[in-house]
Amino acid sequence: MTGSVSPTRRSITFGLLFVVAILSYVDRQIFTLFQDDIKAELGLGDGQLGMLTGLSFALFYALAAFPIARYADRGDRRLVISVCVVVWSTATALCGMAHSFWQMMAARIGLAAGEAGAGPATNSLLTEIYPAERRTLVISGMLAASAIGLSGGLALGGWLSQYFGWRQVFLILGLPGIAIGLSVWLFSAEPRRRGRAEGSAPVQQIALGDVLRTMAGNVSLRWVALLLTMVPLTGFALILWGASFFQRVHGMSKAETGFWLGGAMAAGLVIGNLLAGWVGDRYGKANPGFNGWFAGLGLMIAFPFALMFALSSNPYVALACFVVVKFMMTLHLGPIISLSFAQVPVAMRAMMSATINMFIGLAGTGLGGTVAGYVSQYYAADYGDKSLQPALAVLSGCLLVGGVAAIMAGRTARPLADG
């Protein structure tokens, strides 16, 4: 349906969804910068912080993603995205009003439920309005937007922390999302609506069981599942605990952490996503095995730098290693998503995206964030405020397993004719 959407409307849609992706990760990441303040005010431990940043968020993210994605595979995707943005923005503002662990968890659950639906609907819409030869670049562009949100959220939060407390910052960042959600509804494209108006056949409805059977019966997608379990364990542990790591281990202030860690994250993630998109479109479209080798090599190179990041006593060495780790890790996701989409029908892609998000959410935000918190708590007796160092070093080993899985996913990929 790429021909039914004008280039101008396509660009407007991409621009709006780019902003939505940025906002999603700003609202998600801002919690990590202030989590030590939240810990002190609400009387929490690292394990409870891990639950708030990790498992509770990930579980409800996964639970909400599938029914929303199922509707997105047959309904109005711009409506899905618009409503999701309003829901998670409201939940972000409510985080600033929480006065207990359970109130904060309820707000985080609302944030997870809202963010769960926007990603699959966005991927489904963009891969329909853009031609196949630009698909990896478009997906990687959206991942770059997420990276801007992760880094920008830290930088913006660090700057705001000089003038406002954490409660006010959540309110300031949450409320503008309502206007952004409305803009998506008013101005973005939805070719599916035009097709129905012209009397086209209804969109095929894909059940969750169909997606799970497709993944279970596809060797390449099983390797993708292993990759999406292992890599996020390390990646999200670094993201969710990175701000606390620099504040506790290296004595940085919130403003310094936001500036340096946000800049390091932007350098690694944005450049990595754009490079992955360009390389994937240029070399991986006709040869899906290349996407797997490219992703696997990046993950294996990332491993020693992840160890050096965790164990270095110099904050600037740690920052330099963080840039390399994020750059190398980021090379895998755009090509792997494109590889996965090429092996399923168009009507299944939003549900496939939700499944990918489920693995990333449960393994990364859920297990990565939570396990890192409890491992840090375990080492606290011996390492004190530096207990995050051994915790993050332990989790870095998952990158090697992910690298092997990426290579095997590429070797066994069998794309469909319409992929």
Side-chain angles (χ1 to χ4, degrees), residues 140-166:
S140 293
M142 297 308 297
L143 293 173
S146 301
I148 293 171
L150 285 170
S151 56
L154 288 173
L156 180 59
W159 178 73
L160 290 173
S161 71
Q162 300 174 86
Y163 308 101
F164 303 100
W166 65 270

PDB file of all heavy atoms in Angstrom, residues 140-166:
ATOM      1  N   SER A 140      15.318   1.010  11.889  1.00  0.00           N
ATOM      2  CA  SER A 140      16.470   1.484  12.651  1.00  0.00           C
ATOM      3  C   SER A 140      16.338   2.960  12.995  1.00  0.00           C
ATOM      4  O   SER A 140      16.826   3.403  14.033  1.00  0.00           O
ATOM      5  CB  SER A 140      17.758   1.236  11.854  1.00  0.00           C
ATOM      6  OG  SER A 140      18.003  -0.151  11.729  1.00  0.00           O
ATOM      7  N   GLY A 141      15.681   3.729  12.119  1.00  0.00           N
ATOM      8  CA  GLY A 141      15.416   5.127  12.440  1.00  0.00           C
ATOM      9  C   GLY A 141      14.542   5.266  13.673  1.00  0.00           C
ATOM     10  O   GLY A 141      14.774   6.137  14.525  1.00  0.00           O
ATOM     11  N   MET A 142      13.526   4.397  13.795  1.00  0.00           N
ATOM     12  CA  MET A 142      12.687   4.434  14.984  1.00  0.00           C
ATOM     13  C   MET A 142      13.464   3.992  16.225  1.00  0.00           C
ATOM     14  O   MET A 142      13.252   4.514  17.320  1.00  0.00           O
ATOM     15  CB  MET A 142      11.453   3.536  14.782  1.00  0.00           C
ATOM     16  CG  MET A 142      10.541   3.987  13.652  1.00  0.00           C
ATOM     17  SD  MET A 142      10.055   5.734  13.746  1.00  0.00           S
ATOM     18  CE  MET A 142       9.140   5.734  15.284  1.00  0.00           C
ATOM     19  N   LEU A 143      14.354   3.025  16.052  1.00  0.00           N
ATOM     20  CA  LEU A 143      15.195   2.628  17.179  1.00  0.00           C
ATOM     21  C   LEU A 143      16.137   3.760  17.576  1.00  0.00           C
ATOM     22  O   LEU A 143      16.430   3.947  18.764  1.00  0.00           O
ATOM     23  CB  LEU A 143      15.993   1.377  16.815  1.00  0.00           C
ATOM     24  CG  LEU A 143      15.172   0.098  16.607  1.00  0.00           C
ATOM     25  CD1 LEU A 143      16.052  -1.024  16.074  1.00  0.00           C
ATOM     26  CD2 LEU A 143      14.475  -0.331  17.889  1.00  0.00           C
ATOM     27  N   ALA A 144      16.607   4.521  16.582  1.00  0.00           N
ATOM     28  CA  ALA A 144      17.438   5.691  16.892  1.00  0.00           C
ATOM     29  C   ALA A 144      16.635   6.723  17.675  1.00  0.00           C
ATOM     30  O   ALA A 144      17.163   7.382  18.582  1.00  0.00           O
ATOM     31  CB  ALA A 144      17.982   6.306  15.607  1.00  0.00           C
ATOM     32  N   ALA A 145      15.343   6.882  17.341  1.00  0.00           N
ATOM     33  CA  ALA A 145      14.488   7.785  18.103  1.00  0.00           C
ATOM     34  C   ALA A 145      14.371   7.332  19.547  1.00  0.00           C
ATOM     35  O   ALA A 145      14.399   8.146  20.482  1.00  0.00           O
ATOM     36  CB  ALA A 145      13.097   7.861  17.456  1.00  0.00           C
ATOM     37  N   SER A 146      14.242   6.026  19.743  1.00  0.00           N
ATOM     38  CA  SER A 146      14.202   5.498  21.100  1.00  0.00           C
ATOM     39  C   SER A 146      15.505   5.803  21.841  1.00  0.00           C
ATOM     40  O   SER A 146      15.496   6.132  23.029  1.00  0.00           O
ATOM     41  CB  SER A 146      13.975   3.979  21.060  1.00  0.00           C
ATOM     42  OG  SER A 146      12.764   3.672  20.403  1.00  0.00           O
ATOM     43  N   ALA A 147      16.616   5.698  21.111  1.00  0.00           N
ATOM     44  CA  ALA A 147      17.902   6.013  21.719  1.00  0.00           C
ATOM     45  C   ALA A 147      17.991   7.475  22.106  1.00  0.00           C
ATOM     46  O   ALA A 147      18.536   7.830  23.160  1.00  0.00           O
ATOM     47  CB  ALA A 147      19.031   5.657  20.740  1.00  0.00           C
ATOM     48  N   ILE A 148      17.453   8.358  21.257  1.00  0.00           N
ATOM     49  CA  ILE A 148      17.418   9.781  21.596  1.00  0.00           C
ATOM     50  C   ILE A 148      16.591   9.996  22.853  1.00  0.00           C
ATOM     51  O   ILE A 148      16.935  10.806  23.726  1.00  0.00           O
ATOM     52  CB  ILE A 148      16.851  10.603  20.421  1.00  0.00           C
ATOM     53  CG1 ILE A 148      17.820  10.556  19.232  1.00  0.00           C
ATOM     54  CG2 ILE A 148      16.604  12.054  20.832  1.00  0.00           C
ATOM     55  CD1 ILE A 148      17.252  11.153  17.965  1.00  0.00           C
ATOM     56  N   GLY A 149      15.488   9.251  22.969  1.00  0.00           N
ATOM     57  CA  GLY A 149      14.666   9.365  24.168  1.00  0.00           C
ATOM     58  C   GLY A 149      15.389   8.904  25.413  1.00  0.00           C
ATOM     59  O   GLY A 149      15.303   9.542  26.471  1.00  0.00           O
ATOM     60  N   LEU A 150      16.119   7.789  25.303  1.00  0.00           N
ATOM     61  CA  LEU A 150      16.880   7.294  26.456  1.00  0.00           C
ATOM     62  C   LEU A 150      17.920   8.307  26.907  1.00  0.00           C
ATOM     63  O   LEU A 150      18.029   8.632  28.096  1.00  0.00           O
ATOM     64  CB  LEU A 150      17.570   5.983  26.091  1.00  0.00           C
ATOM     65  CG  LEU A 150      16.699   4.732  26.009  1.00  0.00           C
ATOM     66  CD1 LEU A 150      17.492   3.585  25.404  1.00  0.00           C
ATOM     67  CD2 LEU A 150      16.164   4.346  27.376  1.00  0.00           C
ATOM     68  N   SER A 151      18.699   8.808  25.943  1.00  0.00           N
ATOM     69  CA  SER A 151      19.763   9.747  26.296  1.00  0.00           C
ATOM     70  C   SER A 151      19.210  11.125  26.625  1.00  0.00           C
ATOM     71  O   SER A 151      19.633  11.778  27.587  1.00  0.00           O
ATOM     72  CB  SER A 151      20.768   9.853  25.148  1.00  0.00           C
ATOM     73  OG  SER A 151      20.131  10.222  23.939  1.00  0.00           O
ATOM     74  N   GLY A 152      18.233  11.573  25.822  1.00  0.00           N
ATOM     75  CA  GLY A 152      17.638  12.884  26.066  1.00  0.00           C
ATOM     76  C   GLY A 152      16.891  12.945  27.382  1.00  0.00           C
ATOM     77  O   GLY A 152      16.878  13.988  28.052  1.00  0.00           O
ATOM     78  N   GLY A 153      16.273  11.820  27.766  1.00  0.00           N
ATOM     79  CA  GLY A 153      15.581  11.790  29.047  1.00  0.00           C
ATOM     80  C   GLY A 153      16.538  11.995  30.204  1.00  0.00           C
ATOM     81  O   GLY A 153      16.234  12.717  31.168  1.00  0.00           O
ATOM     82  N   LEU A 154      17.724  11.390  30.106  1.00  0.00           N
ATOM     83  CA  LEU A 154      18.731  11.593  31.152  1.00  0.00           C
ATOM     84  C   LEU A 154      19.226  13.029  31.173  1.00  0.00           C
ATOM     85  O   LEU A 154      19.338  13.652  32.231  1.00  0.00           O
ATOM     86  CB  LEU A 154      19.902  10.639  30.925  1.00  0.00           C
ATOM     87  CG  LEU A 154      19.654   9.163  31.230  1.00  0.00           C
ATOM     88  CD1 LEU A 154      20.851   8.327  30.800  1.00  0.00           C
ATOM     89  CD2 LEU A 154      19.368   8.953  32.714  1.00  0.00           C
ATOM     90  N   ALA A 155      19.544  13.558  29.980  1.00  0.00           N
ATOM     91  CA  ALA A 155      20.074  14.917  29.918  1.00  0.00           C
ATOM     92  C   ALA A 155      19.038  15.937  30.382  1.00  0.00           C
ATOM     93  O   ALA A 155      19.339  16.849  31.169  1.00  0.00           O
ATOM     94  CB  ALA A 155      20.524  15.231  28.491  1.00  0.00           C
ATOM     95  N   LEU A 156      17.805  15.791  29.907  1.00  0.00           N
ATOM     96  CA  LEU A 156      16.743  16.717  30.298  1.00  0.00           C
ATOM     97  C   LEU A 156      16.435  16.601  31.785  1.00  0.00           C
ATOM     98  O   LEU A 156      16.269  17.605  32.490  1.00  0.00           O
ATOM     99  CB  LEU A 156      15.492  16.448  29.466  1.00  0.00           C
ATOM    100  CG  LEU A 156      14.274  17.332  29.741  1.00  0.00           C
ATOM    101  CD1 LEU A 156      14.601  18.808  29.502  1.00  0.00           C
ATOM    102  CD2 LEU A 156      13.089  16.901  28.864  1.00  0.00           C
ATOM    103  N   GLY A 157      16.370  15.345  32.275  1.00  0.00           N
ATOM    104  CA  GLY A 157      16.117  15.150  33.695  1.00  0.00           C
ATOM    105  C   GLY A 157      17.231  15.716  34.558  1.00  0.00           C
ATOM    106  O   GLY A 157      16.969  16.306  35.614  1.00  0.00           O
ATOM    107  N   GLY A 158      18.485  15.552  34.112  1.00  0.00           N
ATOM    108  CA  GLY A 158      19.604  16.119  34.865  1.00  0.00           C
ATOM    109  C   GLY A 158      19.529  17.633  34.941  1.00  0.00           C
ATOM    110  O   GLY A 158      19.802  18.229  35.994  1.00  0.00           O
ATOM    111  N   TRP A 159      19.147  18.255  33.832  1.00  0.00           N
ATOM    112  CA  TRP A 159      19.011  19.719  33.829  1.00  0.00           C
ATOM    113  C   TRP A 159      17.856  20.156  34.717  1.00  0.00           C
ATOM    114  O   TRP A 159      17.993  21.088  35.531  1.00  0.00           O
ATOM    115  CB  TRP A 159      18.797  20.206  32.395  1.00  0.00           C
ATOM    116  CG  TRP A 159      18.600  21.693  32.304  1.00  0.00           C
ATOM    117  CD1 TRP A 159      19.543  22.664  32.452  1.00  0.00           C
ATOM    118  CD2 TRP A 159      17.365  22.369  32.045  1.00  0.00           C
ATOM    119  NE1 TRP A 159      18.988  23.908  32.301  1.00  0.00           N
ATOM    120  CE2 TRP A 159      17.642  23.769  32.051  1.00  0.00           C
ATOM    121  CE3 TRP A 159      16.060  21.947  31.809  1.00  0.00           C
ATOM    122  CZ2 TRP A 159      16.650  24.718  31.829  1.00  0.00           C
ATOM    123  CZ3 TRP A 159      15.066  22.896  31.580  1.00  0.00           C
ATOM    124  CH2 TRP A 159      15.382  24.262  31.601  1.00  0.00           C
ATOM    125  N   LEU A 160      16.711  19.478  34.615  1.00  0.00           N
ATOM    126  CA  LEU A 160      15.551  19.845  35.430  1.00  0.00           C
ATOM    127  C   LEU A 160      15.803  19.614  36.917  1.00  0.00           C
ATOM    128  O   LEU A 160      15.224  20.312  37.767  1.00  0.00           O
ATOM    129  CB  LEU A 160      14.318  19.049  34.982  1.00  0.00           C
ATOM    130  CG  LEU A 160      13.728  19.413  33.617  1.00  0.00           C
ATOM    131  CD1 LEU A 160      12.627  18.425  33.225  1.00  0.00           C
ATOM    132  CD2 LEU A 160      13.163  20.838  33.632  1.00  0.00           C
ATOM    133  N   SER A 161      16.667  18.637  37.239  1.00  0.00           N
ATOM    134  CA  SER A 161      16.929  18.330  38.646  1.00  0.00           C
ATOM    135  C   SER A 161      17.585  19.490  39.380  1.00  0.00           C
ATOM    136  O   SER A 161      17.562  19.537  40.612  1.00  0.00           O
ATOM    137  CB  SER A 161      17.830  17.086  38.750  1.00  0.00           C
ATOM    138  OG  SER A 161      19.152  17.380  38.335  1.00  0.00           O
ATOM    139  N   GLN A 162      18.180  20.414  38.635  1.00  0.00           N
ATOM    140  CA  GLN A 162      18.798  21.578  39.261  1.00  0.00           C
ATOM    141  C   GLN A 162      17.758  22.591  39.740  1.00  0.00           C
ATOM    142  O   GLN A 162      18.067  23.467  40.550  1.00  0.00           O
ATOM    143  CB  GLN A 162      19.743  22.262  38.269  1.00  0.00           C
ATOM    144  CG  GLN A 162      20.867  21.367  37.770  1.00  0.00           C
ATOM    145  CD  GLN A 162      21.696  22.035  36.694  1.00  0.00           C
ATOM    146  OE1 GLN A 162      22.648  22.766  36.999  1.00  0.00           O
ATOM    147  NE2 GLN A 162      21.328  21.821  35.444  1.00  0.00           N
ATOM    148  N   TYR A 163      16.524  22.474  39.246  1.00  0.00           N
ATOM    149  CA  TYR A 163      15.481  23.463  39.555  1.00  0.00           C
ATOM    150  C   TYR A 163      14.238  22.856  40.200  1.00  0.00           C
ATOM    151  O   TYR A 163      13.471  23.579  40.857  1.00  0.00           O
ATOM    152  CB  TYR A 163      15.058  24.181  38.269  1.00  0.00           C
ATOM    153  CG  TYR A 163      16.214  24.751  37.488  1.00  0.00           C
ATOM    154  CD1 TYR A 163      16.710  24.095  36.365  1.00  0.00           C
ATOM    155  CD2 TYR A 163      16.851  25.930  37.880  1.00  0.00           C
ATOM    156  CE1 TYR A 163      17.787  24.604  35.646  1.00  0.00           C
ATOM    157  CE2 TYR A 163      17.927  26.438  37.169  1.00  0.00           C
ATOM    158  CZ  TYR A 163      18.391  25.771  36.051  1.00  0.00           C
ATOM    159  OH  TYR A 163      19.455  26.278  35.352  1.00  0.00           O
ATOM    160  N   PHE A 164      14.032  21.551  40.007  1.00  0.00           N
ATOM    161  CA  PHE A 164      12.809  20.926  40.512  1.00  0.00           C
ATOM    162  C   PHE A 164      13.136  19.608  41.197  1.00  0.00           C
ATOM    163  O   PHE A 164      14.143  18.968  40.905  1.00  0.00           O
ATOM    164  CB  PHE A 164      11.825  20.647  39.357  1.00  0.00           C
ATOM    165  CG  PHE A 164      11.452  21.857  38.549  1.00  0.00           C
ATOM    166  CD1 PHE A 164      12.066  22.108  37.331  1.00  0.00           C
ATOM    167  CD2 PHE A 164      10.488  22.750  39.001  1.00  0.00           C
ATOM    168  CE1 PHE A 164      11.723  23.211  36.571  1.00  0.00           C
ATOM    169  CE2 PHE A 164      10.139  23.865  38.252  1.00  0.00           C
ATOM    170  CZ  PHE A 164      10.767  24.097  37.036  1.00  0.00           C
ATOM    171  N   GLY A 165      12.229  19.187  42.095  1.00  0.00           N
ATOM    172  CA  GLY A 165      12.320  17.865  42.691  1.00  0.00           C
ATOM    173  C   GLY A 165      11.785  16.813  41.737  1.00  0.00           C
ATOM    174  O   GLY A 165      11.183  17.125  40.701  1.00  0.00           O
ATOM    175  N   TRP A 166      11.961  15.545  42.112  1.00  0.00           N
ATOM    176  CA  TRP A 166      11.582  14.472  41.195  1.00  0.00           C
ATOM    177  C   TRP A 166      10.086  14.443  40.915  1.00  0.00           C
ATOM    178  O   TRP A 166       9.665  14.116  39.805  1.00  0.00           O
ATOM    179  CB  TRP A 166      12.064  13.122  41.718  1.00  0.00           C
ATOM    180  CG  TRP A 166      11.455  12.639  43.020  1.00  0.00           C
ATOM    181  CD1 TRP A 166      11.915  12.868  44.274  1.00  0.00           C
ATOM    182  CD2 TRP A 166      10.289  11.808  43.164  1.00  0.00           C
ATOM    183  NE1 TRP A 166      11.120  12.244  45.209  1.00  0.00           N
ATOM    184  CE2 TRP A 166      10.119  11.577  44.550  1.00  0.00           C
ATOM    185  CE3 TRP A 166       9.394  11.234  42.268  1.00  0.00           C
ATOM    186  CZ2 TRP A 166       9.082  10.806  45.057  1.00  0.00           C
ATOM    187  CZ3 TRP A 166       8.352  10.454  42.769  1.00  0.00           C
ATOM    188  CH2 TRP A 166       8.206  10.253  44.146  1.00  0.00           C
TER     189      TRP A 166
END
